[in-house]
Amino acid sequence: MSTSTWFSALKKPAIAIAGAATVIGLASPAAAAQPPGDGEVGTQVVGGTRAAQGEFPWMVRLSMGCGGALYTPQIVLTAAHCVSRTGANTSITATLGVVDLQSSSAIKVKSTYVHRSPTYGTATGGDWALVKLASPVTTVPTLKIATTKEYDTGTFDIAGWGDTSEGSQQGSRYLLKAKVPFVSDTTCKAIGGYYRSLIPSAEICAGDLANGGTDTCQGDSGGPMFRKDNTGEWIEVGIVSHGNGCARANAPGVYTEVSTFAKDIAAAAAKI
């Protein structure tokens, strides 16, 4: 996959929120229907605003240029395209507990192991991965994941330190947030072109089709797409995966459907 292609489609790099237009885009302009290759970074949040300290405490920034969410005190859930393989890995640093990446209060923990979804890159889909940390982070709450499709609709929240506009290649120092509406699988596939290869059973589309303006972008890959459940608690329903550009009209972001892989994620986390 060429550099221009993956940069446009995947959102591995950082999430950032753009100015007046407020658009959050998952991938850059071009497009491959699948996320970037091993170790490649993707998109960020466009069209967002700054998150307050402690608003989304489980957000994680990974040193390879991806986002993630604290799944257990010692495991970060991110995207498979952010890592190269399953196995021992001490090269990743996770930054937690802050919205300002330059804050002296940031918690930084090295990785020890990575589990990459074995179905990633196949017709089954599965752009998810787990990063085990060297020690548990007990001062930061975890984000639970959806185990049924009950919450795979409505209006979702996104957040990240990625690019604030398509092609900017400049991540955000501060955590940015935005909201994106659900786009049905039928509507998403009907857009055609880039979206013909959508895997309905494994992916969720979200974005303002009519106007664009808000989306995840390069650098936001692996970060969570989330919403409130029936008890008012945050729940992760998607993982930033790929898209056709960032915050373009009629070009929604594509997210890993967490509920589809919830059992596999839990089983893998119990073993690493």
Side-chain angles (χ1 to χ4, degrees):
M1 177 183 297
S2 70
T3 300
S4 60
T5 299
W6 74 252
F7 181 84
S8 299
L10 297 175
K11 297 182 178 179
K12 181 178 175 185
I15 286 184
I17 293 169
T22 307
V23 177
I24 292 182
L26 290 171
S28 304
Q34 292 299 318
D38 296 355
E40 294 178 348
V41 177
T43 55
Q44 84 191 39
V45 173
V46 177
T49 57
R50 280 193 195 180
Q53 178 63 35
E55 188 172 5
F56 309 122
W58 21 260
M59 287 294 301
V60 179
R61 178 65 176 165
L62 298 173
S63 57
M64 82 286 275
C66 281
L70 196 63
Y71 174 63
T72 75
Q74 201 167 353
I75 296 176
V76 176
L77 176 60
T78 186
H81 74 261
C82 289
V83 299
S84 61
R85 64 180 181 81
T86 293
N89 186 322
T90 59
S91 69
I92 302 169
T93 298
T95 300
L96 312 85
V98 294
V99 293
D100 178 0
L101 294 177
Q102 295 182 27
S103 172
S104 59
S105 300
I107 300 169
K108 295 181 180 290
V109 187
K110 283 285 190 179
S111 63
T112 59
Y113 191 87
V114 167
H115 175 88
R116 191 183 199 226
S117 169
T119 61
Y120 171 67
T122 71
T124 302
D127 191 9
W128 64 269
L130 301 175
V131 176
K132 185 174 183 180
L133 305 179
S135 59
V137 181
T138 58
T139 56
V140 174
T142 57
L143 176 62
K144 64 182 180 179
I145 64 174
T147 56
T148 70
K149 298 185 184 300
E150 179 180 5
Y151 302 110
D152 292 354
T153 188
T155 298
F156 307 116
D157 287 79
I158 52 177
W161 289 273
D163 295 347
T164 54
S165 64
E166 183 178 313
S168 70
Q169 299 186 50
Q170 294 183 339
S172 174
R173 168 180 171 177
Y174 302 96
L175 180 66
L176 298 177
K177 64 177 182 177
K179 291 182 179 293
V180 287
F182 168 73
V183 176
S184 72
D185 293 336
T186 300
T187 299
C188 197
K189 285 184 72 72
I191 294 171
Y194 179 92
Y195 296 92
R196 286 198 188 97
S197 60
L198 179 77
I199 306 173
S201 62
E203 299 176 318
I204 301 176
C205 293
D208 184 340
L209 295 184
N211 306 301
T214 303
D215 194 9
T216 48
C217 198
Q218 261 54 46
D220 288 334
S221 285
M225 180 171 74
F226 48 100
R227 53 162 290 177
K228 292 289 185 68
D229 65 12
N230 292 334
T231 66
E233 293 185 60
W234 290 115
I235 187 168
E236 182 170 1
V237 298
I239 298 170
V240 179
S241 184
H242 61 102
N244 186 17
C246 302
R248 297 178 181 183
N250 210 40
V254 182
Y255 302 76
T256 303
E257 189 173 85
V258 171
S259 60
T260 296
F261 303 100
K263 290 183 179 179
D264 295 327
I265 291 171
K271 294 179 181 179
I272 65 174

